[in-house]
Amino acid sequence: MAISFSLQGFPVRTAFHTAAFAPAISHSLKLPPQSSSKLGTVVKMSATEVTDSRISYESFAIKPPEHPTYDLKGVIKLALAEDAGDRGDVTCKATIPSDMAVEAYFLAKEDGIIAGIALAEMIFHEVDPSLKVEWCRNDGDFVHKGLQFGKVHGRAHNIVVAERVVLNFMQRMSGIATLTKEMANAAYPAYMLETRKTAPALRLVDKWAVLIGGGRNHRMGLFDMVMIKDNHISAAGGVTGALKAVDLYLKQNSLQMEVEVETRTLEEVEEVLHYSSQAKTSLTRIMLDNMVVPLPNGDVDISMLKEAVQLINGRYETEASGNVTLDTVHKIGQSGVTYISSGSLTHSVKALDISLKIDTELALKVGKRTGRA
């Protein structure tokens, strides 16, 4: 199966095949016997051919969220440019012959969920379209410490130039995906959401990692959902005033979109419900903010949250926020809320340790000595 895609003029042609399929394109690199045993079933991805200027995400294991203006190619170019500066990689120029070809392997140095494989493919293509990349894992798959889960073959100079940018994205995305997977599993039957507390200019990338980890996306930005928060409520003179203003604005501008309102007390929940019973409203979700009360023993009291959910009684989606941690999210998920949101998924990321090594034998030896492989 061969699929072509491009991102705002950024062409990529991706070919996937395993042992069950005939080779999709003749230039896919075959692994030597020893490499095959290391990598197992190989998913092959090779960026080689120019296509049209629009991207199709059909080739991705997990597609990124939509955004009307985000320039992912521009983000990649900026990341490469800040590394290269005005001289390029002076160390590579000094030490690596320009025509040298090598193979380098991706090595997981700790257990976790891998994310950023599709993005890594784009970065390698941006540096050198002739580089051949192969994977034995997809975005969203579990990797264990010591696993060689992919390889890149081609000019050594260009592989090393791309290395740090690729790893910076993959480590961050994998860290987000790993925590999201843990929290999403614990939150069930509620769905896990991130927030807008993302790294500046990495909004789409961070939210993509949440999807890869099994979470769901909250609003992408200020433009795709009405979210009435505390400052809006204060400026509008109260919950009812804010809801009225939003309903009027949407009607006057012929807009249809989801509307969420933040509530901080049971009285505010009741006020929202009273307004919605008296007027036609676009309201779709009620946020129950800081209704999870931390206790001195490290546990949490969710009685207020449960009471709010019961008051709403399924009339609207509900979202719990505040005091959400890996230790508390399971209990919160048992309250009956539809969603649980946590800024911690993206605002304080612990990167997953991944490396890209030409000499994997020595890397593994050193990793075992230090406990990192």
Side-chain angles (χ1 to χ4, degrees):
M1 177 177 63
I3 303 171
S4 299
F5 61 92
S6 65
L7 178 61
Q8 296 183 3
F10 176 48
V12 180
R13 180 173 175 83
T14 301
F16 296 89
H17 68 82
T18 65
F21 298 90
I25 48 179
S26 60
H27 55 255
S28 290
L29 180 69
K30 293 184 178 180
L31 291 172
Q34 66 272 22
S35 299
S36 297
S37 63
K38 292 176 183 177
L39 282 172
T41 302
V42 176
V43 180
K44 298 197 175 187
M45 306 174 69
S46 300
T48 57
E49 295 183 14
V50 175
T51 61
D52 60 61
S53 61
R54 297 184 62 82
I55 186 167
S56 169
Y57 295 121
E58 294 304 314
S59 58
F60 294 171
I62 298 171
K63 300 174 183 62
E66 295 182 1
H67 192 290
T69 62
Y70 196 89
D71 181 6
L72 187 53
K73 181 183 178 183
V75 171
I76 290 170
K77 284 180 172 290
L78 180 62
L80 290 167
E82 73 177 355
D83 222 14
D86 58 352
R87 286 195 177 93
D89 190 337
V90 292
T91 313
C92 273
K93 291 176 179 178
T95 62
I96 300 177
S98 61
D99 59 349
M100 176 182 285
V102 298
E103 293 177 348
Y105 288 84
F106 285 93
L107 178 66
K109 292 188 173 180
E110 57 184 320
D111 297 351
I113 302 300
I114 199 67
I117 281 176
L119 184 56
E121 185 77 10
M122 296 179 194
I123 297 166
F124 281 124
H125 178 273
E126 183 65 31
V127 172
D128 181 353
S130 71
L131 295 176
K132 306 299 189 298
V133 190
E134 303 176 355
W135 310 96
C136 67
R137 293 293 185 274
N138 282 317
D139 280 324
D141 287 347
F142 175 79
V143 294
H144 61 79
K145 184 168 71 171
L147 177 70
Q148 294 179 36
F149 62 90
K151 66 179 283 189
V152 56
H153 171 84
R155 289 182 61 199
H157 183 281
N158 291 338
I159 290 172
V160 176
V161 164
E163 173 192 356
R164 179 43 52 195
V165 173
V166 167
L167 292 177
N168 283 349
F169 278 112
M170 290 189 73
Q171 287 179 315
R172 179 179 176 86
M173 290 182 72
S174 298
I176 292 171
T178 298
L179 179 58
T180 300
K181 177 66 73 175
E182 290 182 286
M183 294 190 78
N185 287 346
Y188 183 84
Y191 298 107
M192 201 70 215
L193 304 173
E194 85 293 76
T195 70
R196 284 168 51 240
K197 297 175 183 177
T198 54
L202 293 181
R203 176 71 56 81
L204 185 142
V205 174
D206 283 359
K207 285 179 173 281
W208 189 3
V210 168
L211 293 180
I212 291 170
R216 295 196 178 188
N217 289 149
H218 211 304
R219 58 177 178 161
M220 177 58 69
L222 301 174
F223 59 90
D224 59 332
M225 178 182 184
V226 174
M227 188 165 175
I228 308 168
K229 300 197 71 177
D230 51 359
N231 287 334
H232 305 113
I233 291 168
S234 297
V239 170
T240 299
L243 283 167
K244 283 182 178 178
V246 165
D247 285 330
L248 180 60
Y249 174 83
L250 294 178
K251 182 179 180 180
Q252 289 177 338
N253 291 276
S254 301
L255 291 173
Q256 289 185 334
M257 59 177 58
E258 293 184 346
V259 175
E260 179 171 8
V261 62
E262 178 182 304
T263 59
R264 296 156 291 182
T265 65
L266 294 176
E267 289 74 22
E268 285 188 331
V269 173
E270 290 172 338
E271 185 178 349
V272 169
L273 295 174
H274 176 74
Y275 170 79
S276 66
S277 70
Q278 302 296 314
K280 185 178 180 180
T281 179
S282 296
L283 181 68
T284 55
R285 187 184 306 173
I286 300 176
M287 176 184 284
L288 308 171
D289 189 47
N290 286 310
M291 295 188 186
V292 175
V293 181
L295 299 174
N297 64 359
D299 199 0
V300 287
D301 179 0
I302 64 166
S303 57
M304 183 180 178
L305 179 65
K306 291 177 71 174
E307 188 174 349
V309 171
Q310 289 166 4
L311 278 172
I312 297 165
N313 195 28
R315 282 174 279 185
Y316 297 101
E317 294 177 340
T318 53
E319 177 186 332
S321 68
N323 294 308
V324 178
T325 68
L326 194 53
D327 293 328
T328 65
V329 71
H330 176 71
K331 191 169 185 178
I332 297 169
Q334 304 309 302
S335 67
V337 293
T338 318
Y339 301 102
I340 303 171
S341 59
S342 175
S344 66
L345 295 180
T346 56
H347 71 50
S348 49
V349 181
K350 180 186 178 298
L352 192 73
D353 198 358
I354 302 166
S355 65
L356 179 64
K357 298 295 184 183
I358 295 172
D359 190 341
T360 53
E361 185 177 344
L362 179 57
L364 285 168
K365 183 178 179 181
V366 172
K368 288 176 180 177
R369 185 177 71 216
T370 59
R372 296 177 64 205

